């Protein structure tokens, strides 16, 4: 089976889902179930990680899903590290989705503070999945210090605009020796399929599922998009050409007889 492997742990699904913005916990659960995902992200600022009866945490079956706390809302490395330590102290596994976004308007990740936080967390034994700009140089630097993945953005968080950083993500994929997970901005199953066709190892989706009348059905559509894109990548896409090329020979009965 073609599995996603992160830090030595195999996963059958290549679709990660977030838990923010859903109109109800029932919609959130439906999206998780229909997505087939095995990794679910939760913003540490939105939950009481010490309370198993928290309205969000109580709806996540941790025997079924890997709970991936994220440091969403952290404005610098110090704050992100503090949030990660709190999650581990509360009994979470040492997996962390690292997010450092000081910009309140576009929520773009800070490359310098992200790198600083990643250095500290890796040294402390965390399995770090950093959300980052689509910067091939930064991606290599994060890989070199020991992050488990890199997670370049396709477009700003929550915009549903698709892969606007395609050329840079292609370079990151080409150079990476760790999984590349396209995160943020994917708004349609076709966007997820596009990322997987490029060779991304996985995608993370939240707003596109929550911002729809039927999150469960949309999650199932994304699941199919991810699977189709991965299958196409493994099969090998045909090359692009500048000129038309007939798929049938222009000879025989099509030839003008003299």
């Amino acid at each position: 089976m073609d599995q996603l492997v992160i830090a030595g742990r195999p996963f059958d699904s290549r679709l990660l889902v977030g838990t923010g913005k859903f109109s109800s916990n029932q919609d959130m659960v439906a999206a998780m179930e229909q997505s087939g995902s095995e990794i679910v992200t939760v913003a540490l600022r939105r939950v009481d990680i010490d309370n198993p009866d928290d309205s969000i945490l109580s709806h996540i079956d941790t025997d079924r899903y890997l709970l991936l706390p994220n440091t969403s809302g952290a404005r610098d490395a110090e704050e992100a590290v503090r949030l990660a330590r709190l999650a581990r102290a509360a009994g979470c596994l040492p997996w962390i989705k690292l997010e450092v976004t000081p910009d309140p308007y576009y929520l773009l990740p800070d490359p310098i503070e992200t790198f600083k936080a990643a250095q500290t967390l890796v040294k402390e034994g965390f399995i770090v999945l950093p959300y980052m700009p689509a910067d091939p140089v930064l991606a290599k630097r994060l890989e070199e210090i020991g992050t488990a993945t890199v997670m370049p953005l396709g477009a700003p968080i929550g915009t549903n605009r698709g892969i606007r950083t395609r050329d840079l993500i292609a370079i990151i994929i080409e150079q990476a020796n760790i999984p590349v997970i396209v995160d943020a901005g994917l708004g349609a199953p076709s966007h997820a399929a596009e990322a997987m066709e490029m060779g991304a190892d996985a995608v993370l989706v939240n707003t596109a599922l929550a911002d729809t009348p039927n999150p469960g059905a949309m999650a199932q559509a994304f699941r199919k998009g991810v699977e189709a894109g991965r299958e196409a990548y493994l099969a090998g896409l045909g090359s692009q050409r500048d000129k038309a090329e007939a798929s049938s020979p222009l000879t025989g009965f099509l030839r003008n007889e003299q």
Side-chain angles (χ1 to χ4, degrees):
M1 181 179 293
D2 177 47
Q3 292 181 307
L4 169 67
V5 179
I6 302 175
R9 178 167 174 171
F11 300 92
D12 292 331
S13 174
R14 292 176 179 271
L15 174 59
L16 289 66
V17 298
T19 55
K21 300 183 180 179
F22 288 96
S23 60
S24 69
N25 287 328
Q26 289 70 32
D27 280 346
M28 178 187 74
V29 170
M32 289 191 298
E33 291 179 347
Q34 294 302 315
S35 71
S37 179
E38 297 164 274
I39 304 176
V40 176
T41 69
V42 177
L44 289 165
R45 289 182 173 275
R46 296 181 59 241
V47 300
D48 181 357
I49 205 75
D50 290 311
N51 180 11
D53 295 322
D54 180 277
S55 63
I56 292 178
L57 294 179
S58 63
H59 286 80
I60 300 175
D61 181 356
T62 53
D63 291 329
R64 179 175 179 180
Y65 304 104
L66 170 66
L67 185 64
L68 181 64
N70 74 59
T71 64
S72 174
R75 295 188 175 186
D76 55 31
E78 182 179 359
E79 189 174 7
V81 169
R82 180 178 61 82
L83 287 169
R85 289 171 176 164
L86 286 173
R88 184 164 62 179
C92 292
L93 294 175
W95 289 60
I96 197 77
K97 184 192 174 195
L98 175 61
E99 297 185 34
V100 183
T101 52
D103 167 27
Y105 189 74
Y106 292 105
L107 299 177
L108 296 174
D110 184 317
I112 297 172
E113 294 298 306
T114 297
F115 184 81
K116 287 167 59 178
Q119 277 186 311
T120 299
L121 292 172
V122 168
K123 289 177 181 177
E124 294 185 5
F126 283 90
I127 296 170
V128 182
L129 289 73
Y131 170 59
M132 54 167 285
D135 180 342
V137 176
L138 177 60
K140 287 306 294 182
R141 295 292 183 264
L142 289 167
E143 178 182 329
E144 288 166 0
I145 64 171
T147 62
T149 69
V150 289
M151 302 181 71
L153 61 82
I157 290 173
T159 60
N160 289 342
R161 295 172 64 190
I163 305 178
R164 298 302 181 95
T165 56
R166 179 184 174 91
D167 290 346
L168 294 171
I169 288 178
I171 297 172
I172 292 171
I173 292 170
E174 177 188 354
Q175 296 181 341
N177 297 302
I178 55 177
V180 177
I181 302 173
V182 176
D183 180 18
L186 304 185
S190 58
H191 298 158
E194 179 184 0
M196 301 306 295
E197 289 170 3
M198 291 172 60
D201 295 279
V203 300
L204 191 153
V205 181
N206 188 169
T207 301
L209 306 183
D211 190 23
T212 176
N214 193 331
M218 184 60 71
Q220 187 175 66
F222 265 91
R223 177 180 185 171
K224 293 175 180 177
V226 168
E227 291 171 352
R230 180 64 180 178
E231 290 174 7
Y233 171 74
L234 294 176
L237 297 173
S239 59
Q240 297 185 9
R241 300 174 176 84
D242 292 330
K243 296 182 179 180
E245 183 175 302
S247 56
S248 300
L250 298 177
T251 58
F253 74 92
L254 291 178
R255 185 179 61 225
N256 291 325
E257 296 291 337
Q258 298 297 328

